[in-house]
Amino acid sequence: MNFSFKKIVSAVALATVAAPSISFAQDSVLEEIVVTASKRATTLQEIPIAVTVTTADTIEKAQIQDLIDLQAVVPSLRVSQLQTSRNANFVIRGFGNGANNPGIEPSVGVFIDGVYRSRSAAAISDLPRLERVEVLSGPQSTLFGKNASAGVVSVVTPVPQGDSGGFVSGSFGDYSAIVLKGLVEGSITDNLAFDLAGSYNSRDGYFENLARGEELNERNRYAIRGQLNWTPNDTTAIRVIADYDEIDEACCGVVNIVSGPATGAINALGGQLVPNDPEALEGFYDDPAINEISNFGLSIQGDFEFEKFSITSITSFRNNDVFDNQDIDFTSGDLTNSNKNDINIDTFTQEIRFASNGDGAVDWLLGAFYFDESVEQETDVLFGPAFRPFIDISLGAAGFPLSLSQVEGLVGLPQGSFYQTNSGVSDIATLDNEAFSLFGQFDWRLNDALTATVGFNYTDDEKDFSLITNRTEVRGLVPLPGLLSLVPINPPVTTGTNNPVEDNSTADDELTYTLRLAWDINDTFNAYASYATGYKASSVNLSRDSAPSAADFATLGSLGLLPANANPGTRFADPEEAEVYELGLKARFDRGSLNIAVFDQTVENFQSNIFTGIAFSLLNAEKQSVKGAEVAFSYSPTNSFSYGINVTYLDPLYDSFTNAAGGDLSGQVPAGISEISASLSAQYDFELSGNEAYIRGDYQYEDDVQIVDGISADIASREVKLLNVSAGMTTESGLGFTLWARNLADESYLISAFPSVAQTGSISGYRNEPRTFGVTVRKEF
């Protein structure tokens, strides 16, 4: 692996400089953390995988409210909420996608209690009680299947054990924030335990819509969840989980980074925006922002122990229903009347695993996974009454000699034909996805110190899709002879995949594998070297920007089946194929731990989905790579004080991306990936009037980086410096109080940026959440 070892050594030094003298004793004062990243219960220090664990204690004391907050303590993970409440994008080591298009599955797989959540909208639910969150870096397709080519986020909640008890908690903060959670657990019979939990999350928006007097970026969510754990004997356990949650909130505020020439036309029509202010917490939008999401799920897990092996079966059904609508020009000019998305996703999964009981020289695991999902989507974008005059003014400002009415007269169209109010484009799309995987892993104990691992996964994935696009607008212009101007050639038309040329399906299969050698150096140190491949099946372009491939386009043209002004594009992106070489060292000592992973990771045909100002462009980057290191260091110099330093160094590159939306990006650094990301934490535990108390601080840092491909760093860059603090106390009666603040210094930065919709020269973006603070009261019983 040829990259900057000097920077990696610097990262290791940063993590360890505060602990110049470390005693490598066998008895540790640190709590041993058990993880299931390998689908077996293994301690964090023994597992030969790059995995970061956030425990329930950290989640509670650091006031981590959802998966978006998790990145504050896991520098390899980045979670960004974009234009709606459902569009959260998960990225690990710089790789990740899956937002903005329900046909694009994520490269980072999210699992909650072993159940795969196929879309981000189904993964952001508020969970009342967590046991831990595991973040697995790098390709994990061997054990987790087709959509883990970049990594896995595994959320684990406690299994009810029959003990009577529970808790209630309430958080109250600025922006009228109220977060209520409660859980009760107990037993119905001697071998049937249960818990029932609920949460309510409400907050006023911190972004003001000045045009409508409304607040955006609010919270309005609730969730209920129940579990049964039946243990009829010592060798059988049946766990049933049912959950339901709803989101109904106004989101998300957009800032204007660069005000281009189109702003003059918007202002001339009485429209407004807050120009050239990436830190703004206000804007002008004439349409309400609607985000309505519901999730329902039912899963049944059965664990059966036999003398030589065990069987685990996980069956799940999930439904995700989404409706959202928002102003997409992000001004108070009435350019659009609708941008509706109505999506329904039904997902069924079945996993079965057979695992050895650990006796003998070989540990083995064999399993199968079945996935069946249907997606239905209806969308539209309709012009508002101001769009036609907006185009007229914009063309005039650009030197166009004729008005739209004059052009209509020249070509014999009725007056008002162009860009009629409520004309536009609507789509109806469907996607049926069926996949099947066989997987296995074998761990050979070569001797007391060395273990060799071979793992495999064979996946067969088939997708059938349809897309019907109904264009009711008259638009599209070409040069008119004798004039500097344009004429319309795109009358209303219905297009889509219902033609005799395109087969409207994908069929992929792939064998991925893992090779690893783990070395138990002594009771303190473990090391490993591994090579793994990953895979993500084809993604389907279900957006209105979907179009036939160049080859199909040519055939359709030869048959006279193309509408006027049509262009080739993409119906789907080819599968991603990932590989990673990795070296790791793990150490557990008297008062701390040190984990280091050095890696060289490559993804061929990375599925890129970039907004160009008019359309989303779904393309394959032929080859994208990242070389780097992850260092996690934790230390407790005393029983009362502990701190942690996690550092990630990334050196990414587009090795080849010749057909990028903005031109050839080969040899360039991909945007949005910081070279250095770090999270620093410190906690001091003490007694206060005989009660347990603590003070904690978490600092998140990401160095300056260009945010998105195609927009220069001079216009849109990001540097993250966030400080979160908390202090709490718990009495002997189980009553706890926590004071907390997130983004204490009220730092402002951009999360993302994009060309403003239909406003050439303007740039818009999403900024981060401002400072929030509050108090949490919790009572356990």
Side-chain angles (χ1 to χ4, degrees), residues 494-748:
T494 298
T495 61
T497 58
N498 55 338
N499 60 68
V501 175
E502 299 179 273
D503 63 7
N504 309 326
S505 65
T506 64
D508 307 312
D509 66 286
E510 183 74 7
L511 177 67
T512 58
Y513 56 93
T514 298
L515 304 174
R516 183 169 59 234
L517 185 65
W519 179 23
D520 293 336
I521 302 171
N522 53 40
D523 290 339
T524 298
F525 290 98
N526 305 78
Y528 67 89
S530 67
Y531 172 78
T533 62
Y535 179 69
K536 176 187 171 186
S538 299
S539 285
V540 178
N541 190 354
L542 293 184
S543 76
R544 65 185 60 92
D545 312 313
S546 175
S549 67
D552 288 342
F553 184 85
T555 303
L556 288 167
S558 67
L559 297 174
L561 297 177
L562 288 176
N565 204 30
N567 292 294
T570 57
R571 291 293 191 205
F572 57 87
D574 291 332
E576 294 180 357
E577 297 182 359
E579 67 173 4
V580 62
Y581 297 87
E582 187 164 304
L583 300 174
L585 177 68
K586 297 192 174 189
R588 181 178 174 88
F589 41 91
D590 184 23
R591 290 187 172 274
S593 64
L594 174 65
N595 296 336
I596 302 172
V598 182
F599 54 87
D600 184 346
Q601 184 171 332
T602 301
V603 175
E604 294 185 356
N605 289 327
F606 178 74
Q607 295 168 1
S608 171
N609 190 42
I610 298 296
F611 186 66
T612 62
I614 299 176
F616 280 96
S617 181
L618 176 61
L619 300 166
N620 287 109
E622 295 95 330
K623 185 177 180 180
Q624 181 177 337
S625 63
V626 63
K627 301 175 175 67
E630 296 161 339
V631 181
F633 176 75
S634 62
Y635 190 59
S636 298
T638 70
N639 290 340
S640 299
F641 179 67
S642 61
Y643 66 88
I645 304 173
N646 291 2
V647 181
T648 296
Y649 162 72
L650 298 176
D651 181 17
L653 181 69
Y654 280 130
D655 301 86
S656 178
F657 194 1
T658 56
N659 64 334
D664 190 352
L665 294 178
S666 302
Q668 298 188 30
V669 175
I673 305 173
S674 293
E675 184 179 49
I676 297 293
S677 301
S679 62
L680 316 176
S681 64
Q683 182 172 311
Y684 178 65
D685 298 291
F686 59 97
E687 281 197 4
L688 181 64
S689 301
N691 301 309
E692 295 180 356
Y694 73 93
I695 299 174
R696 180 182 176 92
D698 293 276
Y699 182 73
Q700 178 188 357
Y701 172 77
E702 298 175 15
D703 66 350
D704 193 55
V705 66
Q706 177 183 340
I707 290 179
V708 66
D709 293 328
I711 300 177
S712 74
D714 293 336
I715 294 174
S717 62
R718 174 181 63 237
E719 184 178 24
V720 177
K721 298 178 180 178
L722 289 184
L723 176 62
N724 304 321
V725 296
S726 59
M729 179 185 72
T730 302
T731 68
E732 292 184 359
S733 65
L735 182 62
F737 303 89
T738 302
L739 298 172
W740 52 268
R742 301 192 66 82
N743 189 10
L744 181 65
D746 202 21
E747 291 286 328
S748 172

Side-chain angles (χ1 to χ4, degrees), residues 242-245 294-298 317-321:
D243 64 87
Y244 179 81
D245 66 86
S294 66
N295 289 300
F296 166 76
L298 176 67
F317 170 78
R318 299 206 60 83
N319 172 261
N320 172 233
D321 193 72

